[in-house]
Amino acid sequence: MNNTYVSRVGLCVGITLIAAGAVAQEGNMERGQAAAASCSACHQADGSGMNVPDGESWPRLAGLDADYIAKQLHDFKAGRRDNATMATFANMLNDQQIADVAAYYSQLPATQGQGGDEANETLLARGQQLAERGDWNAYIVSCQSCHGPGGKGVGDTFPGIAGQHAGYIHTQLTAWKNETRSNDPQNLMGAIAKRMSDDDIQAVSAWYAKQPASADQESTQ
Ligand code: HEC
Ligand code: HEC
């Protein structure tokens, strides 16, 4: 274990503690289901979202951490995360409704990511390398050092990215690279995405889309 590894783990733990200090509002699933009626046109009734090649992909919300979902909705509302489509819908929700929809989507079973099937072996191998080991020549830390083993997420700070749609992962990494998304603590993702080539972004997006999002899903595959 070298010093770089130790300080990296220390950084992740520190951030988790800061985020855990925020008091989350209690959400109600039944009210959340009602409030989610306006969301299903894009995120779908089962929360699976949709991969839209060359367009704006709709992320899967099913099975994401409730506090992470709530944070994103507050960020869209406050303009800290900039997306015209979501600003409109987040603005329709008050704080209680945000907690309710977050509770609702978080308990829906995770569905499989789309958009990774056309990737070839070489691209997928590169994606797996970045996800599991990183690339020290390019100063890219492995994704799983923060997003957890298999990219299944850690607490409310590091979202699950396994089984998310390739198009959505791709848009987000590109947004961080181009500095159009910068709403995470200390802009960790910005620093990482800037070190990635467009091929790297494509590779890691395709690989994660093909991974199971949860242990339940793994057992049915
Ligand atoms: C017209 C389509 C559309 C509708 C309707 C819509 N969304 Fe979205 N949503 C999107 C898109 C596109 C994104 C990705 C935005 C981006 O790239 O930053 C998104 C992102 C999100 C995210 C961030 C997910 C993540 O993993 O970070 C959340 C949470 C979310 N939407 C919740 C909702 C809720 C709750 C509603 C209903 C009140 C809703 N959305 C309605 C299209 C839509
Ligand atoms: C040092 C920690 C760290 C590392 C390493 C890291 N991430 Fe992240 N990532 C985060 C944090 C924190 C967020 C949450 C951002 C927020 O709160 O809006 C995030 C969010 C994301 C999201 C958005 C998910 C969503 O639902 O909107 C994607 C996609 C993502 N990371 C991909 C990756 C990939 C791919 C890698 C590896 C190349 C990686 N991350 C490495 C910390 C990290």
Side-chain angles (χ1 to χ4, degrees):
M1 192 181 286
N2 61 33
N3 284 337
T4 322
Y5 179 80
V6 173
S7 64
R8 172 160 37 94
V9 171
L11 178 72
C12 292
V13 171
I15 291 159
T16 309
L17 292 178
I18 293 164
V23 180
Q25 196 150 1
E26 197 74 25
N28 174 289
M29 283 176 222
E30 270 167 43
R31 284 199 311 256
Q33 183 168 22
S38 62
C39 320
S40 56
C42 299
H43 295 286
Q44 310 299 305
D46 63 355
S48 60
M50 195 177 285
N51 193 63
V52 183
D54 305 320
E56 210 182 38
S57 290
W58 304 319
R60 165 178 62 79
L61 303 180
L64 294 186
D65 179 84
D67 291 339
Y68 180 76
I69 295 179
K71 175 193 181 273
Q72 299 307 314
L73 289 167
H74 285 293
D75 284 357
F76 284 125
K77 231 181 134 169
R80 284 187 295 268
R81 181 170 170 184
D82 184 21
N83 181 268
T85 309
M86 272 314 300
T88 308
F89 287 92
N91 275 326
M92 290 164 31
L93 307 172
N94 62 31
D95 288 358
Q96 185 60 55
Q97 287 168 319
I98 286 181
D100 294 343
V101 284
Y104 173 65
Y105 280 117
S106 70
Q107 52 80 45
L108 294 178
T111 51
Q112 185 56 55
Q114 304 156 2
D117 287 343
E118 276 147 47
N120 63 37
E121 293 289 312
T122 317
L123 199 69
L124 290 173
R126 174 66 178 163
Q128 180 169 17
Q129 182 199 352
L130 292 169
E132 295 180 342
R133 300 186 302 281
D135 183 346
W136 290 106
N137 293 327
Y139 301 103
I140 300 172
V141 181
S142 78
C143 314
Q144 72 169 21
S145 63
C146 289
H147 291 278
K152 291 186 174 69
V154 179
D156 55 9
T157 307
F158 305 107
I161 51 175
Q164 186 54 276
H165 304 306
Y168 175 73
I169 300 176
H170 191 283
T171 332
Q172 301 313 303
L173 291 171
T174 307
W176 271 302
K177 192 174 168 171
N178 297 339
E179 299 181 2
T180 52
R181 179 173 173 182
S182 58
N183 66 320
D184 67 301
Q186 305 175 26
N187 200 17
L188 295 172
M189 282 307 303
I192 293 162
K194 281 201 183 72
R195 294 174 192 147
M196 296 174 78
S197 69
D198 292 342
D199 283 350
D200 286 344
I201 290 181
Q202 212 193 332
V204 84
S205 303
W207 190 77
Y208 269 123
K210 289 173 75 72
Q211 306 310 307
S214 70
D216 292 355
Q217 211 180 32
E218 212 155 12
S219 61
T220 58
Q221 270 186 351

Coordinates of all heavy atoms in Angstrom, one line a residue, residues 22-66:
A22 N -25.3 16.3 6.7 CA -26.5 17.0 6.3 C -27.8 16.1 6.7 O -27.8 14.9 6.5 CB -26.5 17.1 4.8
V23 N -28.7 16.8 7.3 CA -29.9 16.1 7.8 C -30.9 15.9 6.6 O -31.3 16.9 6.0 CB -30.6 16.8 8.9 CG1 -31.8 16.1 9.4 CG2 -29.7 17.0 10.1
A24 N -31.2 14.7 6.3 CA -32.1 14.4 5.2 C -33.6 14.4 5.6 O -33.9 14.0 6.7 CB -31.8 13.0 4.6
Q25 N -34.4 15.0 4.8 CA -35.8 15.1 5.1 C -36.5 13.7 4.9 O -36.1 13.0 3.9 CB -36.5 16.1 4.1 CG -37.9 16.5 4.5 CD -38.1 17.9 4.0 OE1 -37.2 18.5 3.4 NE2 -39.3 18.5 4.3
E26 N -37.4 13.3 5.7 CA -38.0 12.0 5.6 C -39.0 11.9 4.4 O -39.8 12.8 4.3 CB -38.8 11.7 6.9 CG -39.2 10.3 7.2 CD -38.1 9.4 7.6 OE1 -37.1 9.9 8.2 OE2 -38.1 8.2 7.4
G27 N -38.8 10.9 3.5 CA -39.7 10.9 2.4 C -40.8 9.8 2.5 O -40.6 8.9 3.3
N28 N -41.9 10.0 1.8 CA -43.0 9.1 1.9 C -43.2 8.5 0.5 O -43.4 9.2 -0.5 CB -44.3 9.8 2.3 CG -45.5 9.0 2.3 OD1 -46.0 8.6 1.2 ND2 -46.0 8.6 3.5
M29 N -43.2 7.1 0.4 CA -43.2 6.5 -0.9 C -44.5 6.6 -1.7 O -44.5 6.8 -2.9 CB -42.9 5.0 -0.7 CG -41.5 4.7 -0.5 SD -41.2 3.0 -0.2 CE -40.1 3.0 1.1
E30 N -45.6 6.6 -0.9 CA -46.9 6.7 -1.6 C -47.1 8.1 -2.2 O -47.5 8.3 -3.4 CB -48.1 6.4 -0.6 CG -48.4 5.0 -0.6 CD -49.3 4.6 0.5 OE1 -50.3 5.4 0.8 OE2 -49.1 3.5 1.1
R31 N -46.8 9.1 -1.4 CA -46.9 10.5 -2.0 C -45.8 10.6 -3.1 O -46.1 11.3 -4.1 CB -46.6 11.5 -0.9 CG -47.7 11.7 0.1 CD -47.5 13.0 0.9 NE -46.1 13.1 1.4 CZ -45.8 13.0 2.7 NH1 -46.8 12.7 3.6 NH2 -44.6 13.1 3.1
G32 N -44.7 10.0 -2.9 CA -43.7 10.0 -4.0 C -44.1 9.5 -5.3 O -43.9 10.0 -6.4
Q33 N -44.9 8.4 -5.2 CA -45.4 7.8 -6.4 C -46.3 8.7 -7.2 O -46.3 8.9 -8.4 CB -46.1 6.5 -6.1 CG -46.6 5.8 -7.4 CD -47.1 4.3 -7.0 OE1 -47.5 4.0 -5.9 NE2 -47.1 3.5 -8.1
A34 N -47.1 9.5 -6.4 CA -48.1 10.4 -7.0 C -47.3 11.6 -7.6 O -47.5 12.0 -8.8 CB -49.0 11.0 -5.9
A35 N -46.2 12.1 -6.9 CA -45.4 13.2 -7.4 C -44.6 12.8 -8.6 O -44.2 13.6 -9.5 CB -44.5 13.7 -6.3
A36 N -44.4 11.5 -8.8 CA -43.5 11.0 -9.9 C -44.3 10.9 -11.2 O -43.7 10.5 -12.2 CB -42.9 9.6 -9.5
A37 N -45.6 11.1 -11.1 CA -46.4 11.0 -12.4 C -45.9 11.8 -13.5 O -45.9 11.4 -14.7 CB -47.9 11.4 -12.1
S38 N -45.4 13.0 -13.2 CA -44.9 13.9 -14.2 C -43.5 13.5 -14.7 O -43.0 14.1 -15.7 CB -44.9 15.4 -13.8 OG -44.0 15.5 -12.7
C39 N -42.9 12.6 -14.1 CA -41.5 12.2 -14.4 C -41.4 11.0 -15.4 O -40.4 10.8 -16.1 CB -40.7 11.8 -13.1 SG -41.1 12.8 -11.7
S40 N -42.5 10.2 -15.4 CA -42.4 8.9 -16.1 C -42.3 9.0 -17.6 O -41.9 8.1 -18.3 CB -43.6 8.0 -15.7 OG -44.8 8.7 -16.0
A41 N -42.7 10.2 -18.2 CA -42.6 10.4 -19.6 C -41.1 10.1 -20.0 O -40.9 9.6 -21.1 CB -43.0 11.8 -20.0
C42 N -40.2 10.5 -19.2 CA -38.8 10.3 -19.5 C -38.2 9.2 -18.7 O -37.5 8.3 -19.2 CB -38.0 11.6 -19.3 SG -38.6 12.9 -20.4
H43 N -38.4 9.3 -17.4 CA -37.7 8.3 -16.5 C -38.4 6.9 -16.5 O -38.0 6.0 -15.9 CB -37.5 8.8 -15.1 CG -36.5 10.0 -15.1 ND1 -35.2 9.9 -15.2 CD2 -36.8 11.3 -15.0 CE1 -34.6 11.1 -15.2 NE2 -35.6 12.0 -15.1
Q44 N -39.6 6.9 -17.1 CA -40.4 5.6 -17.2 C -41.1 5.2 -15.9 O -40.6 5.6 -14.8 CB -39.6 4.4 -17.8 CG -38.8 4.8 -19.1 CD -39.7 5.2 -20.2 OE1 -40.6 4.5 -20.6 NE2 -39.4 6.3 -20.8
A45 N -42.2 4.5 -16.0 CA -43.0 4.2 -14.8 C -42.2 3.3 -13.9 O -42.3 3.4 -12.6 CB -44.2 3.5 -15.2
D46 N -41.2 2.5 -14.4 CA -40.4 1.6 -13.5 C -39.1 2.3 -13.1 O -38.3 1.6 -12.5 CB -40.2 0.2 -14.2 CG -39.4 0.3 -15.5 OD1 -39.1 1.5 -15.9 OD2 -39.1 -0.7 -16.0
G47 N -38.9 3.5 -13.5 CA -37.7 4.3 -13.1 C -36.5 3.8 -13.9 O -35.4 4.2 -13.6
S48 N -36.7 3.1 -15.0 CA -35.6 2.6 -15.8 C -34.9 3.6 -16.7 O -33.8 3.4 -17.2 CB -36.0 1.4 -16.7 OG -37.0 1.7 -17.5
G49 N -35.6 4.7 -17.0 CA -35.0 5.7 -17.9 C -34.9 5.1 -19.3 O -35.5 4.1 -19.6
M50 N -34.0 5.8 -20.1 CA -33.8 5.3 -21.5 C -32.5 5.8 -22.0 O -32.2 7.0 -21.8 CB -35.0 5.7 -22.3 CG -35.0 5.0 -23.7 SD -36.5 5.5 -24.6 CE -37.8 4.7 -23.7
N51 N -31.8 4.9 -22.7 CA -30.6 5.4 -23.5 C -31.1 6.0 -24.8 O -31.8 5.4 -25.5 CB -29.7 4.2 -23.7 CG -28.3 4.6 -24.2 OD1 -27.6 5.3 -23.4 ND2 -27.9 4.3 -25.4
V52 N -30.6 7.2 -25.0 CA -31.0 7.9 -26.3 C -29.7 8.2 -27.0 O -29.1 9.2 -26.7 CB -31.8 9.2 -26.0 CG1 -32.3 9.8 -27.3 CG2 -33.0 8.9 -25.1
P53 N -29.4 7.3 -28.0 CA -28.1 7.5 -28.7 C -28.1 8.9 -29.4 O -29.1 9.3 -30.0 CB -28.0 6.4 -29.8 CG -29.1 5.4 -29.3 CD -30.1 6.1 -28.5
D54 N -27.0 9.6 -29.3 CA -26.9 11.0 -29.9 C -27.9 12.0 -29.4 O -28.1 13.0 -30.0 CB -27.0 10.9 -31.4 CG -26.0 9.9 -32.0 OD1 -24.8 9.9 -31.5 OD2 -26.3 9.1 -32.9
G55 N -28.6 11.7 -28.3 CA -29.5 12.7 -27.7 C -29.3 12.8 -26.2 O -28.2 12.4 -25.7
E56 N -30.3 13.3 -25.5 CA -30.2 13.5 -24.1 C -30.8 12.3 -23.4 O -32.0 12.1 -23.4 CB -31.0 14.8 -23.7 CG -30.5 15.5 -22.5 CD -31.3 16.7 -22.1 OE1 -32.6 16.6 -22.2 OE2 -30.7 17.6 -21.7
S57 N -29.9 11.4 -23.0 CA -30.4 10.1 -22.3 C -31.0 10.4 -21.0 O -30.6 11.3 -20.3 CB -29.2 9.1 -22.1 OG -28.8 8.7 -23.4
W58 N -32.1 9.6 -20.7 CA -32.8 9.8 -19.4 C -32.2 8.8 -18.4 O -32.4 7.6 -18.6 CB -34.3 9.6 -19.6 CG -34.8 10.5 -20.7 CD1 -34.5 11.8 -20.8 CD2 -35.8 10.1 -21.7 NE1 -35.2 12.3 -21.9 CE2 -36.0 11.3 -22.5 CE3 -36.4 9.0 -22.1 CZ2 -36.8 11.4 -23.6 CZ3 -37.3 9.0 -23.2 CH2 -37.5 10.2 -23.9
P59 N -31.6 9.2 -17.3 CA -31.0 8.3 -16.4 C -32.0 7.4 -15.7 O -33.1 7.8 -15.5 CB -30.3 9.2 -15.4 CG -30.9 10.5 -15.5 CD -31.4 10.6 -16.9
R60 N -31.5 6.1 -15.4 CA -32.3 5.3 -14.6 C -32.2 5.9 -13.2 O -31.2 6.2 -12.7 CB -31.6 3.9 -14.5 CG -32.1 3.0 -13.3 CD -31.5 1.6 -13.4 NE -30.1 1.6 -13.2 CZ -29.4 1.7 -12.0 NH1 -30.1 1.9 -10.9 NH2 -28.1 1.7 -12.0
L61 N -33.4 6.0 -12.5 CA -33.5 6.4 -11.1 C -33.7 5.3 -10.2 O -33.4 5.3 -9.0 CB -34.6 7.5 -11.0 CG -34.5 8.7 -11.9 CD1 -35.7 9.7 -11.6 CD2 -33.2 9.5 -11.7
A62 N -34.3 4.2 -10.7 CA -34.7 3.0 -9.9 C -33.5 2.5 -9.1 O -32.5 2.2 -9.8 CB -35.3 1.9 -10.7
G63 N -33.6 2.4 -7.8 CA -32.5 1.8 -7.0 C -31.4 2.8 -6.7 O -30.5 2.4 -6.0
L64 N -31.4 4.0 -7.1 CA -30.4 5.0 -6.7 C -30.6 5.4 -5.2 O -31.7 5.3 -4.8 CB -30.4 6.2 -7.6 CG -30.0 6.1 -9.1 CD1 -29.9 7.5 -9.7 CD2 -28.7 5.3 -9.3
D65 N -29.6 5.8 -4.6 CA -29.7 6.2 -3.2 C -30.7 7.4 -3.0 O -30.6 8.4 -3.8 CB -28.3 6.6 -2.6 CG -28.4 7.0 -1.2 OD1 -28.3 6.2 -0.3 OD2 -28.4 8.3 -1.0
A66 N -31.6 7.4 -2.1 CA -32.6 8.4 -1.9 C -31.9 9.8 -1.7 O -32.3 10.8 -2.3 CB -33.5 8.1 -0.8

